[in-house]
Amino acid sequence: MRTQVAIIGAGPAGLLLGQLLYRAGIANIILERQSADHVLGRIRAGVLEQVTVDLMDECGVGERLHREGLVHQGIELLFKGARHRIDFPGLTGGKTVMVYGQTEVTRDLMAARAAEGLPTVYEVGDSVSLHGFDGTSPQVRYRHGGVERQVDCEFIAGCDGFHGVSRASVPKGAIHEYEKVYPFGWLGLLADVPPVFHELIYAHTERGFALCSMRSPARSRYYLQVPLEERAEQWTDERFWAELRARLDPQARERLVTGPSIEKSIAPLRSFVAEPMRFGRLFLAGDAAHIVPPTGAKGLNLAASDVKYLAAGLIEQYRERSAAGLDHYSERALRRIWRAERFSWWFTMLMHKFPGTGEFDRKVQEAELDYLVHSRAASTALAENYVGLPL
Ligand code: APR
Ligand code: PHB
């Protein structure tokens, strides 16, 4: 088959891009390794910057988000047994974030794509291969239903995540990778219990980091920093709740409602950036090009800003026959990516207990937190990065 843009991956990046291109009259196909149910079964983060909310509206899929999403006007930092609020609107001239699970973002985008009958091929497994993207007639080959198929296209968007085929298809000498792996993981638990607080609580404690988040007023999401060698199977619900209690302040401990987990998993933390993000007619977007530790809740939001830049470049190419947007895509996206990488790294280094570091490092972390919550300048820096820097 022939199309204008072949998109690899039906995660948030691929689905957002497919929707923006469709609404601009640009034909596209999405090839996805897994089934739609598998994609929807992933439990990922849930904090949307205004940029991402606006992009969902631009895609025409914002209705449920505005109906069910929770507008959050701040977060709480817990350290030395006390909580301190970071007031987003007060520090950023009115900005807020929206709490709405990535699963729901994906669900809304998948439903819109299906309703419009746009070509989406699920369960292609690892059959996708990219060809000719250094020329003017790229091709994507894949196997589906036991049949080898080929997509002749004009551009390829690699939206296939950190373990995808797109970045792996780039000649080694053409790409430079930057990486930092953190010496711990996050054990996440999802439960149908009311959240301990109406805003997120980020806790820095001598036992390690904890995060109290949510998906709705009836569904909570909690995280505990755990050593890298831990396995989720080693954590019964009881053990998780007891450790979370031990990391909370007395008021939160008192209010915590526990219940059976509906999901429990451990995710490693890494910072990663691949430069550049363009290779001829192949463009990388989202986790295919970069990874952030979840501390700053930037992963989904960076995928959204990449897609906004890439869609604008492709639309300019087709409408005005100008390559300017595509020529500047990588540089423009990477500037925002590195700012988010820095913020996510900074917040991770501040909030976690690092094995092998001594008392001095912990006292410096506590001093920085004390400064942060008592300095308007420092709190503003946190708030403006958390709600999302301008595009
Ligand atoms: N062929 C086709 N599809 C693939 C391939 C492949 N070889 N490899 C991976 N995929 C699919 C994955 O199954 C996944 O559905 O690409 C999709 C990539 O989606 P994400 O990993 O969600 O990445 P992205 O869309 O960039 O969204 C970034 O998702 O993972 C979170 O924390 C991350 O919030 C961030 C957001
Ligand atoms: C989540 O709700 O899953 C979440 C929220 C904020 C983060 C990370 C994860 O920083």
Side-chain angles (χ1 to χ4, degrees), residues 134-325:
D134 53 350
T136 57
S137 308
Q139 299 169 341
V140 177
R141 295 179 198 144
Y142 68 98
R143 189 170 53 257
H144 190 252
V147 177
E148 292 294 332
R149 302 171 193 270
Q150 177 169 307
V151 178
D152 295 313
C153 53
E154 292 160 14
F155 297 98
I156 303 173
C159 301
D160 45 348
F162 185 67
H163 301 289
V165 66
S166 297
R167 191 177 75 249
S169 301
V170 174
K172 284 287 166 278
I175 196 164
H176 189 97
E177 298 180 351
Y178 303 84
E179 184 170 44
K180 178 182 183 63
V181 177
Y182 298 88
F184 40 75
W186 276 21
L187 168 62
L189 179 144
L190 194 66
D192 282 333
V193 293
V196 68
F197 192 65
H198 67 282
E199 293 177 331
L200 274 58
I201 302 174
Y202 287 80
H204 170 278
T205 84
E206 291 189 16
R207 301 174 71 95
F209 172 79
L211 172 59
C212 302
S213 184
M214 65 200 72
R215 291 291 176 272
S216 74
R219 176 167 285 193
S220 299
R221 179 72 171 160
Y222 292 108
Y223 297 95
L224 294 174
Q225 172 189 345
V226 293
L228 270 180
E229 56 275 9
E230 294 274 310
R231 294 288 169 267
E233 307 75 67
Q234 297 170 278
W235 285 80
T236 61
D237 289 1
E238 292 65 33
R239 182 185 176 196
F240 184 97
W241 294 122
E243 184 58 35
L244 178 62
R245 275 202 181 87
R247 298 187 189 186
L248 291 177
D249 59 284
Q251 184 199 39
R253 200 172 297 143
E254 179 65 31
R255 293 168 53 98
L256 182 65
V257 177
T258 64
S261 61
I262 48 182
E263 192 269 351
K264 208 166 21 183
S265 56
I266 293 181
L269 274 70
R270 92 176 64 235
S271 298
F272 174 87
V273 180
E275 291 188 1
M277 293 168 62
R278 178 198 188 168
F279 308 90
R281 297 279 180 126
L282 169 62
F283 294 84
L284 302 181
D287 274 17
H290 45 76
I291 296 287
V292 282
T295 324
K298 291 297 166 201
L300 173 55
N301 296 297
L302 279 180
S305 46
D306 288 353
V307 164
K308 185 163 179 68
Y309 297 140
L310 181 55
L314 287 166
I315 292 166
E316 182 187 44
Q317 172 67 43
Y318 281 106
R319 283 193 181 151
E320 299 161 36
R321 315 307 298 169
S322 159

Side-chain angles (χ1 to χ4, degrees), residues 302-380:
L302 279 180
S305 46
D306 288 353
V307 164
K308 185 163 179 68
Y309 297 140
L310 181 55
L314 287 166
I315 292 166
E316 182 187 44
Q317 172 67 43
Y318 281 106
R319 283 193 181 151
E320 299 161 36
R321 315 307 298 169
S322 159
L326 291 177
D327 290 345
H328 288 96
Y329 165 69
S330 182
E331 177 192 357
R332 197 178 176 204
L334 283 167
R335 184 161 186 261
R336 182 176 174 87
I337 288 159
W338 275 110
R339 288 179 167 193
E341 290 281 348
R342 182 215 62 85
F343 170 67
S344 304
W345 161 84
W346 166 79
F347 204 17
T348 301
M349 297 303 289
L350 177 61
M351 297 303 291
H352 291 78
K353 179 177 183 178
F354 282 75
T357 59
E359 284 287 291
F360 177 82
D361 297 84
R362 182 172 63 77
K363 295 295 282 184
V364 165
Q365 285 178 318
E366 289 176 357
E368 179 163 3
L369 281 161
D370 178 53
Y371 165 67
L372 177 59
V373 300
H374 292 103
S375 155
R376 184 174 179 81
S379 296
T380 300

